[in-house]
Every structure is written in C-alpha cells, then in structure tokens.
Amino acid sequence: MKLYNLKERSQSVNFDEAIKMGLGRDQGLFFPEKIPRLTNMDELLRMPVFERNVIIHRALIGDALTDEQLNAVVEKTYDTPVKLRPLDDKKGAAYCLELFHGPTLAFKDFGAKYMANCLSQISNQISKESSSNNKITILTATSGDTGAAVAQAFYGLENIDVVVLFPKGKISELQQKMFTTLGENIRTVAIDGAFDDCQKLVKQCFDDAKLVQSLGLNSANSINISRLYAQVCYYFDAIGQLSETERENVVVAVPSGNFGNLTAGIIAKCLGLPIKRFIAATNANDTVPRYLETGQWQPNETVETLSNAMDVSQPNNWPRIEYLVTSGQFDADLLNGVSVTESQTAEAMKQMQQQGYISEPHAAVAYHGLNQSLVEGETGLFLGTAHPAKFKSSVEDILSIELPLPAEIDAVKDKADLSVSMKADIDALKTYLLR
Ligand SMILES: *Cc1c(COP(=O)(O)O)cnc(C)c1O
C-alpha cells in the first residue's frame, strides 16, 4: 500500500517510511492514492475489537509490519475502552462517543500510542538489521492535548527524543502539567505566540534537510499519517455498538481543529463503514465552514476560545479531505460545516447537564452542530474528545459545579513545570534542538 505526497505525486513511500518521515518533500502530506474497500461489513462490525482493528490496519498499512508486530501494536494501542453514552434528545437518538478514557484523557492518546508503538517496532527492526545510529527526534506542536498524549506515549522509549512546542499561556495549566513535568527524553518549549506559530516552526524545521538528517527529525502531529490511521478504528467501534436499525442513518459530528479526526472518520467511510454524513463543527476559528460555504480559503487570525484545542485557523489536514473529494472517493455534499459561538458552546454544555451529562467545551461544539442539523430518523454521534476535568475551570464556571480531579491529573498537578520559554524564532529553535 503506497502513500503519495499530495504536493509532489512523484514521491511515493511505504507506511514504514511515511511514519518515519512525517512530511514529504515540499511539506507535502502523505496519503494513499485509493482507500481500499473492506468487505463483509456486518461481520466486521460484530467482531471483537482487537481482531477488527488488526484487519483495518492491515488494509491500510499493507505489509509494512509483520503479523507479530501489528498484533503487538494493536494490543497496546487499544487497551482503553471507547464508550457510547446515550443522551435523550428530542429530535432523535444522540450519543456521545467518549474517546477520553486513555492515559491523558483525550482521544489523542490513540494516535500517539499507535505512532509510538509502530515507530518502536520499526526502529527495533532497523537496529537489529544494522548497527547505524538510529536516533529519532520527535518535534511536535500542540494546542494542548497532543503534547500530553505524545509525551506520555513516548516517555522512556529508547533512542527517541521528544520536543514539544506549545503556545505560552494559551493552554490550561493542568493540560500543560500533563507534559511539562515528565523530563528525561521529553523536552518542552513554551513559544511566545499562537498554536499556528508553533506549527509553522515545526514545518520550518522540516524544510532544513541537514537538520532533519542530523536529528532524525520526525513529527507526531496529525500530519503524520499514522495518527489518523489509529483514529479510524474507533469509528468502527462506535458503529459496531449501535443497533442494526440505528446504523442505517448515522450522522457524525466532529469537533475540529486541525481536522485529523474528521479525516479519519472519512477514511472509515471510504473503507465501507456505514456513515450517512458528517458535520465539521468548529469554534470561531471557522476557516473550513466558511470555505464550504463560499469556496474561498481565507484563514483569519487565530482567536482564543473555550475549546482551545481547536484554536486553529490553518488546519493541516484539510488537503487530505480535499484529495478524497477531488479523487471521487468522498462526496463533498456529505459534509456540512458549522461554526459555533462561545455562548452556544456554553449553552450546549448546559443542555447536556440537564440531561444528566457533564461535558466540556470541545464536545459541546459538536453537540451544538449535531442538534442543529439532525432530522427525524437519524442517529447522531458527537465525539467526546476530552475528559471534562481537563477543562476543569471553564466546566466549573459554566455549569456551577465542582469537578473532582481524576487520578491522571491529580498525579501531576503539584509537580514542577520543566518547560523553557522561547520567542517564535526559527533560529533560536534550531540552536536549542542542536544543543
Ligand atoms: C485536538 C483536539 C480536537 C481537534 O481535533 P483535530 O483532529 O485536530 O481536528 C478536538 N478536541 C480536543 C479535546 C482535542 O484535543
């Protein structure tokens, strides 16, 4: 199964190369030319999760890993549950797909664990086959949750260093503590700027071929195709948990920032998963909803919102969705965009609270989008991308409640923050990386 560079189609690589390179030439994203179609969907949906996930990944990665390697990766990646939580909704059945039961309480744990486990299988194999220096440096920008997921997934892995860039003062303190307190092979840098500045710095580093070579530079952002592949599986998991009638008209609302999660959902649909249509729900950083409306790609300055992990105005993964549309694999009419205001987000959280469900701003953005759009006879899923306690202060303010801290957060809240501060300056960053 070859992956093509979407900017330079002459470059094609296998999955194991794509995962190591992150980005292709000219900062192009890797993507398969054609998503294969899985057969016997009913049978697949009835299977145990482990077996089904192995089949899905095998279809996507070709022979890049042996059976033994793939089994090990799948076992370690999907060791936490995916839960469907029903809400009583007036218009139709609505479910929250809870993806936050992993070690850092956000869906990004799936992508980070899958990537770390694949890379560690691949690099072990290379070190067995040759004695060359096989050092890898993972450079990642985070709007909050990626940093924690990646840091936890790679913490303590041999031969892999991790550097996480995050926008200074723009993510919650508890979120920050989940990755800045680890130390060892995890270094963290607070950048004076927005997430888009961090993302730009990462891309600039990848433009420097010498730097890439000498550090074995790689990215764990959702520009890395492995992250998205990991997320494809939980869409199957979700649909598999629905009844056969519910499955017929499923609408999925995805709270979107960099659009990796939505891309994974669309890949799942292309693989044959019965999803009727998607809703791309954003906060005020609404480049995609405006683009779907007007056909004009006009990113604005990034603004800060309650759903800060989605404060992205230049979503990296959009070219992948665009490619699925232009290559005729996905019908653009099956995607609606909606931009959700701060007050609508808070209102959606309160509506869920009235139904006995405590949620947080990211899921609430998707819930609002779903509620606006769902019609009679449809079953709605909205993705619960993070545990409410990760956004403790806004959840407590909006819902007038007190949230206990889960053990995962309680363990880090009093530890020292080991991050360093830096201007959004590429030369300063390079010097730091080479130190
Ligand atoms: C990263 C993140 C998102 C956005 O996901 P994308 O794949 O970047 O669109 C949404 N919610 C939470 C809680 C996140 O951490």
Side-chain angles (χ1 to χ4, degrees), residues 163-184:
V163 178
V164 179
L165 311 184
F166 63 98
K168 190 174 185 173
K170 295 204 167 64
I171 64 182
S172 85
E173 193 191 329
L174 290 174
Q175 247 184 332
Q176 186 168 327
K177 287 252 167 135
M178 290 188 89
F179 61 93
T180 56
T181 57
L182 290 166
E184 294 197 37

Side-chain angles (χ1 to χ4, degrees), residues 191-368:
I191 298 289
D192 278 326
F195 169 70
D196 288 293
D197 297 309
C198 300
Q199 188 151 266
K200 189 167 154 216
L201 286 170
V202 170
K203 286 192 175 177
Q204 285 174 321
C205 287
F206 278 94
D207 275 344
D208 182 337
K210 261 187 20 218
L211 190 76
V212 170
Q213 179 72 32
S214 63
L215 294 171
L217 208 58
N218 195 334
S219 164
N221 278 105
S222 50
I223 52 177
N224 197 301
I225 189 72
S226 64
R227 288 264 312 265
L228 308 191
Y229 281 0
Q231 293 166 218
V232 168
C233 292
Y234 54 63
Y235 287 91
F236 282 79
D237 203 335
I239 305 289
Q241 291 181 49
L242 294 173
S243 73
E244 277 175 31
T245 12
E246 284 174 317
R247 261 179 225 166
E248 281 165 20
N249 283 299
V250 177
V251 180
V252 179
V254 185
S256 294
N258 232 341
F259 282 77
N261 223 351
L262 181 64
T263 309
I266 296 177
I267 293 175
K269 180 169 171 59
C270 294
L271 282 163
L273 186 67
I275 293 175
K276 185 176 159 194
R277 60 190 180 89
F278 290 92
I279 298 163
T282 69
N283 56 31
N285 298 289
D286 59 350
T287 308
V288 167
R290 282 186 291 113
Y291 174 72
L292 292 172
E293 186 91 349
T294 65
Q296 309 277 321
W297 186 260
Q298 283 170 334
N300 293 333
E301 190 86 13
T302 312
V303 296
E304 291 174 34
T305 72
L306 286 166
S307 47
N308 62 39
M310 298 168 12
D311 292 348
V312 182
S313 58
Q314 307 198 39
N316 253 327
N317 281 293
W318 187 255
R320 288 179 163 137
I321 296 179
E322 190 94 1
Y323 170 75
L324 286 171
V325 172
T326 54
S327 62
Q329 300 180 70
F330 176 67
D331 179 354
D333 290 341
L334 303 182
L335 177 63
N336 291 106
V338 55
S339 160
V340 180
T341 66
E342 297 289 89
S343 62
Q344 288 168 334
T345 303
E347 194 48 46
M349 285 169 63
K350 288 180 193 157
Q351 283 170 11
M352 286 189 270
Q353 185 184 28
Q354 278 158 18
Q355 301 178 57
Y357 189 57
I358 302 300
S359 189
E360 53 72 49
H362 304 78
V365 165
Y367 180 70
H368 179 88

Side-chain angles (χ1 to χ4, degrees), residues 37-167:
R37 193 115 187 136
L38 295 172
T39 50
N40 297 333
M41 190 51 59
D42 288 340
E43 195 189 325
L44 200 63
L45 289 174
R46 277 195 301 269
M47 269 181 200
V49 175
F50 171 79
E51 285 163 38
R52 178 172 61 223
N53 290 354
V54 167
I55 291 173
I56 294 167
H57 282 297
R58 182 57 80 203
L60 291 170
I61 70 169
D63 56 9
L65 297 174
T66 65
D67 284 345
E68 196 186 336
Q69 289 174 321
L70 182 59
N71 288 347
V73 168
V74 169
E75 199 161 342
K76 285 187 199 147
T77 303
Y78 302 98
D79 59 354
T80 50
V82 168
K83 295 185 186 166
L84 260 193
R85 171 73 162 71
L87 299 195
D88 336 307
D89 175 70
K90 289 178 286 303
K91 290 188 222 151
Y95 294 87
C96 180
L97 178 61
E98 294 186 347
L99 302 170
F100 49 73
H101 299 291
T104 71
L105 309 174
F107 77 96
K108 293 195 173 81
D109 282 325
F110 289 102
K113 282 200 277 183
Y114 181 71
M115 181 176 169
N117 291 318
C118 282
L119 262 186
S120 124
Q121 292 288 349
I122 291 166
S123 76
N124 283 346
Q125 187 173 332
I126 297 172
S127 19
K128 265 191 247 156
E129 285 163 8
S130 75
S131 56
S132 70
N133 176 16
N134 194 33
K135 186 134 192 94
I136 296 172
T137 305
I138 305 282
L139 179 64
T140 287
T142 185
S143 57
D145 292 328
T146 301
V150 167
Q152 295 283 350
F154 285 87
Y155 181 58
L157 285 187
E158 256 172 65
N159 289 327
I160 306 185
D161 276 342
V162 173
V163 178
V164 179
L165 311 184
F166 63 98

